[in-house]
Amino acid sequence: MDYQNVLVELEDRIGIIKLNRPEVRNALDFQTLAEISHALETLENNDGIGVIVITGAGEKSFAAGADIGQLREKQPKDALVPGMSGLYQKVENCQKATIAAINGYALGGGCELAMACDIRIAADHAKFGLPELNLSIIPGAGGTQRLARIIGKGRALDMILTGEILTAQKAEEVGLVSKAVPMEELWPTVKEKADKILAKGPLAVRLAKVVINRGFNSDMETALMIEKLAQAVLFGSDDKNEGTQAFLEKRQAVFTGM
């Protein structure tokens, strides 16, 4: 794809998808969503990439939400196609670990994109909100469900019904982000987090995501069985043998993802 609205960069084993429409606060129009989807698929299928970071260009916005002009043209049938919600499910179910490096406003669809990532780290001037009710619609790309699961039902209802905008510090306090740091520390912090993940067995990372995501919405007995089945797969892996042997030999493990 000839990317117009995103930049795709590689740093070591980290793939970076950077929303690149700073003149409109990285608004998420149809073209941008298509480019994110293509970039995500490309990086996910790259065996040399272990972590995918999603961020925004500039220092003002991660993503300020959907393109309102396009949103105004939406018809009832449009809510039934995968669209933004389908893309965010792809982000959530990505085989690689994903980190949202939130460099500014994350509103509406932008906040929903961040919530679809495994880990969220924010610059301390970032702002978070789901103000869709101001337009007489609801957060429709997973926001009503992911926010409640991340920060709790009561806080999610309060935030969505009032349209409250959270500071990065408040977002950290309620658990919406893992950490809020000064802008100049955002990438070093994200890189440090990514490096810790990259040091782990890639198959274990992948299956840990599956177990947590699938188990979270299951009853405990089913969730524990999913956990056991994933562990059974890992017990038969080359990486388990390498990881345990490296520990016994007091050396760094060299994982292959097998």
Side-chain angles (χ1 to χ4, degrees):
M1 175 177 282
D2 181 19
Y3 296 114
Q4 302 295 323
N5 297 341
V6 307
L7 300 173
V8 180
E9 303 170 354
L10 304 178
E11 182 172 326
D12 299 325
R13 294 176 58 209
I14 303 171
I16 305 163
I17 301 173
K18 183 178 294 184
L19 311 184
N20 190 33
R21 304 181 73 209
E23 71 282 358
V24 290
R25 295 190 173 185
N26 298 324
L28 298 161
D29 64 358
F30 299 145
Q31 178 65 25
T32 304
L33 294 173
E35 292 184 17
I36 294 170
S37 181
H38 186 275
L40 180 72
E41 183 177 341
T42 300
L43 293 173
E44 185 174 14
N45 291 326
N46 184 336
D47 292 338
I49 297 298
V51 174
I52 298 172
V53 174
I54 301 177
T55 191
E59 297 186 2
K60 293 184 178 180
S61 287
F62 172 74
D67 185 294
I68 303 301
Q70 291 182 350
L71 185 60
R72 192 173 187 276
E73 303 302 317
K74 293 282 189 180
Q75 298 298 314
K77 62 182 176 61
D78 294 322
L80 301 178
V81 301
M84 185 181 284
S85 181
L87 170 59
Y88 294 175
Q89 284 182 281
K90 288 182 180 179
V91 173
E92 185 172 65
N93 294 324
C94 180
Q95 297 178 21
K96 310 293 173 66
T98 57
I99 302 175
I102 303 151
N103 57 303
Y105 283 98
L107 304 177
C111 187
E112 290 174 305
L113 174 57
M115 288 191 291
C117 294
D118 300 322
I119 297 170
R120 289 161 293 283
I121 299 173
D124 57 11
H125 69 281
K127 300 288 179 62
F128 299 82
L130 293 171
E132 284 87 347
L133 271 67
N134 291 329
L135 305 175
S136 198
I137 60 173
I138 62 172
T144 61
Q145 303 307 303
R146 290 193 180 94
L147 185 64
R149 285 162 170 75
I150 293 169
I151 69 172
K153 177 184 173 183
R155 282 195 174 115
L157 278 166
D158 190 328
M159 187 173 166
I160 291 172
L161 295 181
T162 65
E164 181 183 4
I165 304 298
L166 302 186
T167 64
Q169 291 74 21
K170 183 65 174 179
E172 181 180 6
E173 179 184 323
V174 301
L176 183 53
V177 302
S178 297
K179 197 169 187 179
V181 298
M183 181 63 190
E184 62 271 17
E185 295 178 19
L186 180 59
W187 178 250
T189 303
V190 169
K191 180 70 162 53
E192 180 183 12
K193 186 76 69 174
D195 286 342
K196 288 181 179 179
I197 296 170
L198 290 169
K200 308 299 187 286
L203 184 58
V205 170
R206 178 178 176 181
L207 288 178
K209 286 188 55 171
V210 170
V211 171
I212 293 168
N213 286 335
R214 295 293 177 265
F216 190 85
N217 296 318
S218 304
D219 63 88
M220 180 61 78
E221 186 174 354
T222 301
L224 290 173
M225 180 54 65
I226 295 171
E227 182 183 77
K228 283 184 174 295
L229 292 173
Q231 190 75 299
V233 172
L234 291 168
F235 277 177
S237 70
D238 292 341
D239 277 353
K240 184 271 291 183
N241 294 334
E242 166 63 12
T244 53
Q245 189 65 31
F247 179 85
L248 293 172
E249 295 175 357
K250 296 181 172 54
R251 60 174 175 82
Q252 184 69 37
V254 181
F255 296 118
T256 63
M258 303 296 290

